[in-house]
Amino acid sequence: MDEIRWGLLIVSYLFLGGMSAGLYFVSALATYLQDGGQPAYPRIARVGAMLAPWPVAIGSFLLIFDLGKWYRFYKLFLHFEWHSPMSIGSWLLVGFTLLSLAYFWAWLPAGVIDSVVSRLPKRLRVLGIVAWPGREGLRRPLAMAGFPLAVGVGIYTGVLLGAVQARPFWNTNLVAQMFLFSALSTGCAALILALSLHRDDLEAREARLLYSIDIVLILLELFIVIPYIVHGALSPLAVRQALALILGGPYTFAFWVLFLTLGLLVPLALELYEMKPVLLERASLHPNRVLAGATAALIIIGGFVLRYVFVYAGQVSSFQ
Amino acid sequence: MEPVMSKAITRRTFMNGAATAAAAAALAPQLGCARFLRSKPAAAVETREVATACEVCPNKCAVMAVVEGGRIRKLNPNPASPKSRGMLCARGNAAVKAVYDPDRVKQPLIRAGARGEGKWRTATWDEAWDFAAKHLTEIKEKHGPEAVIWSSTEGFQEEFFKNLGLAYGSPNILRHPTLCLASVNLAYSMTFGTVPSFDLLNADYVIMSGANRFESIITPDTMDLIDSTMNRKARLVYLDPRFTVTASKADEWYPIRPGTDMAFILAMLNVIIGEERYDKEFVASACHGFEELRAHVQRFTPEWAAGETEIPAANIRRIAHEFADAAPRALYYAGRRSSWYSNDFQMRRAQAILNAIVGNWDREGGVVPNSKIALGEYLYLPWDEPTAARIDEMEERFPLAAKGDGVFLQARENVLAGKPYPVKGWMVYKQDPMSALPDRGRTQKMLEQMDFVAVIDTQMSDTAWFADVVFPESTYLERTDPLHMLPGIWPVVAIRQQVVPPIHDTKPNLEIVQGLAKRLELSDYFDYTIEQWLEEQAKELPIPNALEHLKRTGVYTAPGAPFYGSTRKPDHRFLTRSGKIELFSERLAEAGHDPLPAYTPPVQPPPGAFRLILGRKATHTHANSTNNVWLAEFAPSNDLWLNPLAADRLGVASGDLVEVRSDVGVVRLKARVTEEIRPDCVFMLHGFGKKSRTMRLAYDNGACDADVLVTAMDAVSGNAAFHETFVRVAKVGEAAGA
Amino acid sequence: MRKNLVARLGVRTKRYALVIDSRKCINCKACVVACKAENDVPLGRFRNRINEETRGEFPKLLASFEPEQCHHCASASCVRVCPTGASWQRGDGLVLVDTDDCIGCGYCIIACPYNARFFNEETRVVDKCTMCVHRVDAGQPPACVETCPTKVRVFGDLEAPDGRLRELLSTRRYVVKSPQTGNDPHIFYLL
Ligand SMILES: Nc1nc2c(c(=O)[nH]1)N[C@H]1C(S)=C(S)[C@@H](COP(=O)(O)OP(=O)(O)OC[C@H]3O[C@@H](n4cnc5c(=O)[nH]c(N)nc54)[C@H](O)[C@@H]3O)O[C@H]1N2
Ligand SMILES: Nc1nc2c(c(=O)[nH]1)N[C@H]1C(S)=C(S)[C@@H](COP(=O)(O)OP(=O)(O)OC[C@H]3O[C@@H](n4cnc5c(=O)[nH]c(N)nc54)[C@H](O)[C@@H]3O)O[C@H]1N2
Ligand code: SF4
Ligand code: SF4
Ligand code: SF4
Ligand code: SF4
Ligand code: SF4
Ligand SMILES: [Mo]
């Protein structure tokens, strides 16, 4: 290959797809966790549901836009090639997008629907039925159905790369996990960011939930990055050469500074700092809006950089 | 041959990407045409195949052109020719692009501004012919017909052009050999009475000095040599100051000190004669002057030669032994471009003598006189022989050289000096003297002092750029040429027939010549068509419907396998004065030259300076293919090869801009620091740094070697001596992004 | 070439492949230009290439030239990853791209370990060596094979019992490139 074939559009697509999966996942978790028959974290669930469909939708457009012949994208759906991660992923993506739209609808506040419908011309007022009150009952089933699909999408963005034997940088089963946890973490961060920008304050218990989830995800990511590097360094030559791309090659700065330090370690430290009262003093935490926003932004940027480094460095790596 | 570190991932990917992008940008002007060429013809278009012969270099490989819907789609090799077998090289394949090159000269042009300013007006053919004829007549009236030089390079239609010059009355026919192979041809002629071929296919031992056969492609030698060396049949010893592709395939490569090949050969003679390893019987029966030779080479020991050549004496001795042992299946290859040093003739004669005494003459795997196939001739009216003496004073200065070819550089110097008489007109056919002669500044002066210059070319060459009128010839794929016989161990007759009609307002040379002849009142001598000419030529061939056969199959070959030994019969007289192979030459002595090759050590570059050497690359022909988009992909520009030892001393890194200065000129180009050249030499590829703005890919791109080459000639043949140039190199700019 | 079920599933009677004798390669690029002409390969893009390597220090030097193009792998990763089935393999082993079905996603380009594929900016779909299938099916040799001055490439059918390929592969030592890719490449390089 004479050039980088997959560029920033694909990076963005993988990133946005993952973020949707993360948003859906955390929101679904918040829907699932009940507190006296009611969702324990309704705000997290609702905001997550409101946001989840859009990154992946935008990402899909970017993907189509990246095709040599964008208007042929429909051909993806004339075929199902079980051995092609992209074919599986495309179907998965459609399923997930439809589900997240349904989930979005199920969480859409009736007031919003009413005020939109009331502005429509008379003939279209029948659309008021989308405000069907029974949809609330669908929230939990949709959330449950969403777990596998969200996890699938999160993994898929990694499998797409990891399944390519030709690129030793990718061709390890750690990439899929890495991308999954990073996806969930960026989704979580997107929620932290959204809530910290919300006119109501970020509630302590909400922050506690999100931070806890995120700390776990970041730790998991770290537990993957370390074996990825250690394993890679002990692997056949092609893999070691591929690893050189981040261990003293063109992507070293992006990987170590932008992703690992600013995208993982610093947010982890900030989150632990925020959680300190909970963890050490068994007190309740006092979320700092600015700190929360900054942490979330760093995680999001880190997630993007991770995809950037993997997509680019992976294409450069080869057996020859 | 940039060293490629195929293991270094980062470098490979980034560099390739960058290089591709840069190449694409450089080629941008041509993209329009590329698309035009590629517009796919509709479904059921007529496809036909036309047999013809490549014209891009002197090999004339047999081609089967595929024409689809009136466009040339592809050129395939025609395996029927034993010379080219089933090959076409990169240049031959890329010839399609020359036809559809948007930069071609598409109709006659008459100069509208000052010479070299590049202002032209398009003209009709009648206007162009009238214009040229008016000037030619004026010059003839004022200064005589000898005041017009007619210069050309070999080609199937060259004869018509030459004949026009002769019929016009000028003795000053100047052909390309003294830029190319005059010294080697003369040396073998003076020794064997003929210029032979080298049976590389069957040789067991081959010594090649500097003939870079795997990059300067010559058919069938290039293919034969690969077959014999790579099948581990033949041993190849190769001498070249550069590590060429040939060097990389050789069993032994010696980066010989430039200009000392003769010392190597003399030492081989010393060993082979001193140890009585020559072919005594053959020498006694067929050679003349052996005792003089024996005495002459006594002092040239391998130890002495080692000092000259930097090749260890033991190796020279061993090679001499192996060579003699392998004889007669051993040969010292002559080379083709022998425009090297001012004693080139004598060096090539030493080779010829070495070949002679090991008895490889006319033997399988040895040096073989060419077979020929007789062609008929169209009989046209004869004209009066020109009466004036030649401008290059060949008779006095180079009495042994080939009269019909002239001595190019001597002619230029005499024109510039205005002696022995003024020359005011220059007709040029299929030749680019601005590129092909050393010291471009002087060639430009020569052009500028002319009252009239006309160029017949397919492109706006640098010479055309300085002309008064440019006659665009149809490219070889758009015209039919005379039949051509290619002599050799396996001779062939080739046909070059029109593949597609001219796509622009161009004409074949014969019609251009006829148009001029008519206006010069010389029509009587050119009263034939190309078809009539071909018919007469084909008549002599010993098969029925020979022309039809040629048109269909592309070639005619003599029946049977090649044969050897017809000139080894006792009564055979060689075409030399003594009738024998002349190791010692009285004729040379009479002409004031050494009758046996005498060694003069080459002048060495002054301290800090380098010798500039020249050579080919497989993807370009001379100076004429650098505007071909497909070939430009492999060598989009030229650079200066510099050994790391020299580069370190000068503080130069690859990619740095350097200034190269000789006694006659200065050029700038990028440096390429490489192990592939001796530390005392530099090298650059020919054909870049053009002045013609029409040639968009080559104009002002890289450097023109002719700007810095100094004028020197071989003493006997008058061949240009291109490798006598010393240059100084200085860094003038950093590599971008290094 | 348009995907064709018969050709894809057809009984395997042939297995086309290339044997390359790199030592005979003189890096003349005739094969590269011939391919360009035969297959309308855009400027700056190549279906085949000569990998060059020069090593050593003056005057101890070594240069090698290795022609490469699509290896028409038996276990072709490009075919495996293609989401539309546009990359396909004929029964005779030739790996092809159905340019009508290709959406230009570039996945196969990335998935080819031999860097044999590229994106064709003019057709806007992926491009690669087809082994000149249109010529082969018409009984002609591939353009690069035919034009080579030193006949470096030998094209043929591995299944042909008396074929040149079998002869060469049973009498000469050879390697395939990066066998660890698991693609089972079908260019055999003679040693
Ligand atoms: N610096 C330097 N000088 C050299 C050499 C070198 O290596 N370096 N090599 C020397 C040697 S060996 C030789 S043979 C000479 C070659 O010197 P030239 O014969 O001048 O060589 P070309 O560059 O082939 O130029 C021929 C011209 O013919 C034109 N031409 C091509 N085809 C046709 C055609 O069909 N019809 C017409 N009318 N014109 C056509 C081309 O466009 C070009 O302008 O150069 C010699 N000079
Ligand atoms: N690709 C290609 N092939 C061609 C041509 C072409 O333009 N392009 N042109 C054709 C023509 S017209 C000709 S004349 C032939 C020319 O073909 P060759 O006869 O092979 O000539 P060159 O390649 O010019 O030079 C040969 C080598 O001489 C080396 N050399 C320089 N000085 C010395 C020295 O002192 N001693 C030794 N031993 N070597 C030295 C140079 O480094 C160079 O590699 O090629 C023909 N074939
Ligand atoms: S060697 Fe190449 S350029 Fe020369 S005649 Fe043959 S195909 Fe044409
Ligand atoms: S045509 Fe043959 S010799 Fe020339 S580069 Fe290609 S494989 Fe090598
Ligand atoms: S070399 Fe690459 S493109 Fe060709 S078949 Fe193998 S994987 Fe596919
Ligand atoms: S670029 Fe075309 S051939 Fe390649 S994977 Fe995508 S759809 Fe398949
Ligand atoms: S087989 Fe045909 S398509 Fe493949 S590299 Fe050779 S010429 Fe190009
Ligand atoms: Mo020449």
Side-chain angles (χ1 to χ4, degrees):
Chain A
M1 213 167 43
D2 287 350
E3 91 247 78
I4 299 286
R5 179 68 223 142
W6 281 354
L8 286 176
L9 289 182
I10 296 293
V11 170
S12 310
Y13 153 71
L14 295 177
F15 167 73
L16 292 170
M19 181 184 270
S20 276
L23 282 164
Y24 198 119
F25 185 90
V26 178
S27 158
L29 198 68
T31 306
Y32 176 75
L33 295 175
Q34 300 268 319
D35 188 1
Q38 285 299 310
Y41 301 92
R43 224 161 54 120
I44 294 182
R46 184 184 304 274
V47 173
M50 294 301 101
L51 292 177
W54 313 119
V56 71
I58 296 169
S60 301
F61 274 111
L62 296 181
L63 172 71
I64 289 170
F65 196 66
D66 192 60
L67 296 179
K69 290 200 187 282
W70 66 267
Y71 47 86
R72 283 194 185 166
F73 76 93
Y74 69 88
K75 289 195 187 255
L76 283 168
F77 305 107
L78 300 182
H79 304 261
F80 179 75
E81 304 284 344
W82 59 269
H83 42 67
S84 168
M86 189 182 281
S87 181
I88 299 170
S90 307
W91 287 103
L92 196 64
L93 220 56
V94 172
F96 174 73
T97 308
L98 292 178
L99 191 73
S100 64
L101 284 169
Y103 186 59
F104 168 84
W105 166 69
W107 270 105
L108 205 57
V112 175
I113 303 179
D114 291 344
S115 76
V116 170
V117 171
S118 66
R119 276 187 221 127
L120 291 176
K122 267 224 171 69
R123 281 172 292 125
L124 295 176
R125 296 259 166 93
V126 284
L127 286 175
I129 59 164
V130 296
W132 174 54
R135 61 203 163 88
E136 277 189 28
L138 295 176
R139 285 175 187 166
R140 267 197 117 208
L142 285 172
M144 306 290 274
F147 283 122
L149 277 188
V151 170
V153 167
I155 288 188
Y156 150 68
T157 58
V159 170
L160 187 72
L161 308 185
V164 177
Q165 298 113 304
R167 308 288 151 203
F169 193 83
W170 291 342
N171 193 218
T172 129
N173 45 18
L174 294 174
V175 175
Q177 280 94 300
M178 180 78 178
F179 271 51
L180 171 65
F181 296 133
S182 166
L184 300 183
S185 170
T186 50
C188 193
L191 269 168
I192 297 176
L193 187 64
L195 290 174
S196 69
L197 295 174
H198 205 271
R199 62 190 127 76
D200 308 328
D201 244 348
L202 183 61
E203 283 174 22
R205 48 191 291 279
E206 288 172 348
R208 190 177 147 165
L209 176 75
L210 293 174
Y211 283 154
S212 312
I213 296 174
D214 204 45
I215 286 168
V216 172
L217 290 170
I218 290 180
L219 287 173
L220 286 170
E221 277 187 75
L222 285 172
F223 282 130
I224 288 169
V225 171
I226 293 162
Y228 176 82
I229 292 173
V230 173
H231 241 273
L234 297 172
S235 284
L237 185 64
V239 182
R240 272 184 280 147
Q241 282 176 339
L243 216 58
L245 290 163
I246 52 167
L247 293 180
Y251 301 102
T252 309
F253 176 78
F255 184 82
W256 291 96
V257 178
L258 298 183
F259 166 65
L260 202 65
T261 309
L262 293 178
L264 287 187
L265 295 176
V266 172
L268 180 66
L270 291 176
E271 285 176 348
L272 287 172
Y273 170 77
E274 284 277 275
M275 288 281 280
K276 199 175 73 183
V278 183
L279 296 171
L280 299 182
E281 297 144 29
R282 301 204 165 271
S284 74
L285 91 195
H286 303 283
N288 175 332
R289 235 171 139 162
V290 177
L291 217 54
T295 307
L298 281 175
I299 291 171
I300 290 170
I301 293 168
F304 186 84
V305 170
L306 172 72
R307 269 107 190 139
Y308 165 79
V309 169
F310 266 78
V311 168
Y312 277 73
Q315 291 179 75
V316 174
S317 76
S318 83
F319 273 103
Q320 291 165 46
Chain B
M1 270 194 311
E2 181 178 318
V4 171
M5 313 179 306
S6 57
K7 294 278 181 266
I9 323 160
T10 50
R11 186 189 123 93
R12 201 201 62 221
T13 316
F14 288 105
M15 301 294 274
N16 280 0
T20 312
L27 304 178
Q30 300 262 4
L31 281 168
C33 183
R35 210 159 288 139
F36 172 48
L37 179 63
R38 248 188 303 280
S39 55
K40 282 251 172 60
V45 283
E46 180 223 12
T47 306
R48 57 196 172 87
E49 291 202 342
V50 187
T52 190
C54 182
E55 184 261 9
V56 184
C57 90
N59 288 315
K60 304 157 182 80
C61 297
V63 176
M64 275 290 172
V66 181
V67 183
E68 207 173 76
R71 292 188 74 81
I72 307 166
R73 212 193 102 63
K74 172 86 198 325
L75 302 176
N76 288 329
N78 174 2
S81 166
K83 282 249 179 204
S84 58
R85 319 245 175 83
M87 76 151 261
L88 284 184
C89 78
R91 301 163 292 147
N93 271 291
V96 190
K97 275 290 178 200
V99 179
Y100 300 107
D101 184 346
D103 294 348
R104 266 182 73 178
V105 187
K106 296 166 190 145
Q107 64 236 85
L109 297 174
I110 295 178
R111 177 162 65 85
R115 269 228 178 99
E117 197 188 357
K119 291 209 174 109
W120 303 95
R121 66 180 175 86
T122 55
T124 63
W125 279 93
D126 282 326
E127 274 178 275
W129 277 319
D130 287 343
F131 178 79
K134 184 178 118 262
H135 282 281
L136 288 172
T137 310
E138 264 173 30
I139 295 174
K140 194 177 196 168
E141 278 164 7
K142 226 166 145 186
H143 306 282
E146 65 274 20
V148 177
I149 282 180
W150 300 71
S151 81
S152 57
T153 288
E154 64 88 44
F156 293 9
Q157 294 220 19
E158 188 189 10
E159 186 170 1
F160 303 134
F161 175 82
K162 213 172 65 178
N163 287 353
L164 182 62
L166 290 168
Y168 172 83
S170 174
N172 290 319
I173 305 300
L174 268 182
R175 301 189 57 248
H176 90 291
T178 53
L179 303 170
C180 175
L181 41 52
S183 55
V184 67
N185 279 2
L186 188 60
Y188 279 80
S189 298
M190 293 296 293
T191 311
F192 295 105
T194 183
V195 181
S197 284
F198 291 75
D199 190 9
L200 291 167
L201 186 61
N202 297 305
D204 291 346
Y205 204 93
V206 177
I207 303 179
M208 220 173 234
S209 16
N212 183 9
R213 214 30 80 243
F214 294 146
E215 288 179 274
S216 355
I217 296 171
I218 289 187
T219 57
D221 296 8
T222 301
M223 299 97 95
D224 286 350
L225 188 65
I226 270 287
D227 275 349
S228 49
T229 55
M230 290 301 133
N231 295 334
R232 301 231 163 79
K233 206 183 81 47
R235 194 168 176 81
L236 174 62
V237 174
Y238 183 69
L239 319 181
D240 196 313
R242 291 189 305 138
F243 184 69
T244 59
V245 173
T246 313
S248 77
K249 306 277 177 196
D251 296 280
E252 298 174 44
W253 165 57
Y254 297 99
I256 188 171
R257 195 145 67 106
T260 65
D261 298 67
M262 200 209 283
F264 176 80
I265 303 163
L266 290 174
M268 283 188 68
L269 284 166
N270 170 290
V271 173
I272 291 173
I273 294 176
E275 299 179 12
E276 309 273 325
R277 288 167 183 265
Y278 56 94
D279 183 339
K280 297 204 185 64
E281 214 174 298
F282 184 72
V283 165
S285 67
C287 298
H288 167 79
F290 181 72
E291 287 314 315
E292 289 92 330
L293 176 68
R294 183 199 290 277
H296 177 69
V297 298
Q298 228 149 30
R299 59 205 161 95
F300 300 120
T301 61
E303 286 66 27
W304 161 81
E308 290 296 312
T309 59
E310 295 177 10
I311 303 174
N315 299 40
I316 301 178
R317 192 165 270 118
R318 175 181 49 78
I319 291 167
H321 292 169
E322 290 172 355
F323 187 76
D325 289 349
R329 286 181 180 272
L331 57 86
Y332 198 110
Y333 187 78
R336 178 174 161 110
R337 184 176 68 84
S338 55
S339 43
W340 285 11
Y341 301 93
S342 36
N343 69 341
D344 206 275
F345 167 87
Q346 294 290 9
M347 187 270 272
R348 310 281 160 176
R349 220 174 92 72
Q351 307 176 348
I353 290 169
L354 174 62
N355 280 316
I357 67 155
V358 297
N360 66 15
W361 178 256
D362 206 358
R363 300 281 293 266
E364 197 173 74
V367 176
V368 185
N370 285 324
S371 297
K372 296 191 169 131
I373 296 169
L375 280 178
E377 274 180 57
Y378 187 93
L379 294 178
Y380 45 83
L381 277 181
W383 44 78
D384 297 332
E385 283 298 308
T387 48
R390 290 191 60 103
I391 183 74
D392 47 23
E393 305 172 288
M394 273 183 91
E395 287 82 350
E396 302 89 68
R397 288 173 182 265
F398 305 100
L400 301 172
K403 296 277 161 322
D405 296 344
V407 173
F408 220 123
L409 286 179
Q410 191 62 51
R412 185 187 72 187
E413 295 311 303
N414 285 5
V415 167
L416 286 172
K419 63 168 204 166
Y421 50 77
V423 167
K424 290 293 160 198
W426 193 356
M427 301 289 294
V428 184
Y429 172 68
K430 194 179 174 288
Q431 188 175 58
D432 184 10
M434 276 289 279
S435 303
L437 270 55
D439 199 345
R440 180 160 70 165
R442 283 185 81 70
T443 313
Q444 188 175 329
K445 279 210 186 78
M446 171 172 170
L447 279 162
E448 280 162 352
Q449 72 89 55
M450 297 286 171
D451 288 345
F452 176 69
V453 179
V455 171
I456 305 175
D457 205 304
T458 50
Q459 318 181 68
M460 184 60 84
S461 69
D462 274 7
T463 307
W465 190 251
F466 285 88
D468 302 305
V469 54
V470 182
F471 294 103
E473 190 180 14
S474 307
T475 62
Y476 89 86
L477 291 161
E478 302 165 301
R479 59 171 204 250
T480 297
D481 284 358
L483 298 182
H484 202 87
M485 193 274 293
L486 300 143
I489 298 177
W490 203 326
V492 280
V493 174
I495 189 169
R496 182 175 290 146
Q497 55 182 333
Q498 190 184 60
V499 173
V500 288
I503 63 168
H504 301 297
D505 186 13
T506 62
K507 291 186 188 301
N509 185 43
L510 176 59
E511 288 174 30
I512 300 173
V513 161
Q514 284 170 331
L516 275 173
K518 188 171 136 201
R519 286 157 180 86
L520 295 169
E521 289 168 13
L522 301 171
S523 277
D524 288 350
Y525 308 117
F526 299 90
D527 188 17
Y528 43 79
T529 64
I530 194 76
E531 279 300 322
Q532 288 170 324
W533 186 278
L534 286 167
E535 273 160 30
E536 288 304 316
Q537 286 185 301
K539 264 188 191 154
E540 292 283 311
L541 295 176
I543 50 164
N545 297 328
L547 193 54
E548 277 314 303
H549 171 86
L550 274 159
K551 284 184 173 170
R552 204 175 58 248
T553 64
V555 284
Y556 168 77
T557 47
F563 54 93
Y564 303 87
S566 58
T567 62
R568 288 183 69 99
K569 304 190 182 82
D571 59 342
H572 177 77
R573 266 194 72 81
F574 287 86
L575 291 173
T576 55
R577 183 183 284 175
S578 63
K580 296 196 168 205
I581 297 171
E582 298 202 334
L583 310 178
F584 180 93
S585 165
E586 274 92 10
R587 277 181 75 201
L588 276 173
E590 282 164 20
H593 300 298
D594 293 318
L596 283 162
Y599 184 74
T600 35
V603 182
Q604 289 305 318
F610 302 88
R611 186 185 297 275
L612 173 61
I613 56 175
L614 310 178
R616 306 269 179 270
K617 183 179 172 77
T619 49
H620 277 308
T621 297
H622 305 300
N624 81 48
S625 65
T626 41
N627 208 57
N628 186 309
V629 258
W630 279 348
L631 298 176
E633 292 195 307
F634 310 115
S637 189
N638 65 349
D639 44 24
L640 189 80
W641 293 29
L642 201 60
N643 184 283
L645 289 178
D648 283 352
R649 205 179 64 225
L650 299 168
V652 171
S654 273
D656 285 350
L657 191 66
V658 289
E659 190 170 81
V660 181
R661 182 184 295 276
S662 75
D663 286 347
V664 301
V666 45
V667 295
R668 285 174 172 210
L669 76 171
K670 289 208 167 118
R672 178 225 231 151
V673 179
T674 170
E675 301 282 352
E676 295 159 279
I677 189 165
R678 280 175 62 95
D680 56 358
C681 296
V682 290
F683 168 84
M684 68 173 92
L685 196 61
H686 189 43
F688 291 90
K690 287 211 184 285
K691 286 186 185 272
S692 167
R693 283 200 294 274
T694 308
M695 310 260 268
R696 280 178 288 174
L697 298 185
Y699 166 71
D700 196 25
N701 171 4
C704 172
D705 51 358
D707 272 342
V708 285
L709 289 169
V710 301
T711 301
M713 277 172 269
D714 171 57
V716 184
S717 65
N719 208 13
F722 283 112
H723 297 193
E724 301 276 23
T725 300
F726 301 137
V727 295
R728 288 181 188 281
V729 177
K731 174 165 154 177
V732 290
E734 288 287 337
Chain C
M1 191 197 192
R2 196 87 186 104
K3 193 156 134 190
N4 173 334
L5 210 61
V6 181
R8 187 182 206 178
L9 302 175
V11 188
R12 184 171 139 182
T13 53
K14 288 193 162 97
R15 206 322 170 178
Y16 290 128
L18 279 179
V19 170
I20 294 185
D21 190 351
S22 300
R23 290 182 318 137
K24 285 167 83 176
C25 177
I26 56 174
N27 196 23
C28 72
K29 308 288 205 289
C31 49
V32 181
V33 182
C35 181
K36 195 145 264 197
E38 180 71 41
N39 299 302
D40 293 340
V41 180
L43 286 180
R45 298 285 174 187
F46 305 94
R47 284 186 178 186
N48 56 8
R49 60 173 179 266
I50 310 298
N51 302 319
E52 303 170 23
E53 191 185 335
T54 306
R55 283 209 293 267
E57 261 176 51
F58 180 89
K60 298 240 175 298
L61 296 164
L62 176 144
S64 60
F65 310 105
E66 177 196 71
E68 193 175 6
Q69 63 211 57
C70 170
H71 292 248
H72 297 273
C73 308
S75 174
S77 50
C78 55
V79 172
R80 192 158 54 244
V81 302
C82 177
T84 63
S87 277
W88 64 295
Q89 186 156 31
R90 299 211 308 186
D92 57 17
L94 298 189
V95 173
L96 302 173
V97 178
D98 184 330
T99 49
D100 290 340
D101 261 355
C102 176
I103 58 174
C105 68
Y107 201 12
C108 55
I109 300 178
I110 289 168
C112 167
Y114 300 104
N115 297 336
R117 297 178 165 237
F118 62 91
F119 182 72
N120 183 326
E121 280 84 358
E122 285 171 21
T123 58
R124 312 267 333 142
V125 293
V126 83
D127 202 330
K128 74 178 255 306
C129 161
T130 58
M131 201 72 107
C132 286
V133 62
H134 58 291
R135 288 172 65 112
V136 169
D137 285 348
Q140 289 174 294
C144 57
V145 171
E146 179 183 51
T147 207
C148 175
T150 55
K151 300 296 173 253
V152 168
R153 292 174 179 81
V154 182
F155 169 77
D157 175 12
L158 281 175
E159 301 285 330
D162 311 319
R164 274 279 282 152
L165 293 201
R166 280 213 185 170
E167 183 194 320
L168 282 168
L169 296 181
S170 49
T171 56
R172 299 275 302 266
R173 279 158 37 79
Y174 65 88
V175 290
V176 295
K177 209 167 174 181
S178 307
Q180 69 273 28
T181 62
N183 270 22
D184 195 0
H186 268 58
I187 294 180
F188 303 96
Y189 291 94
L190 295 182
L191 291 173

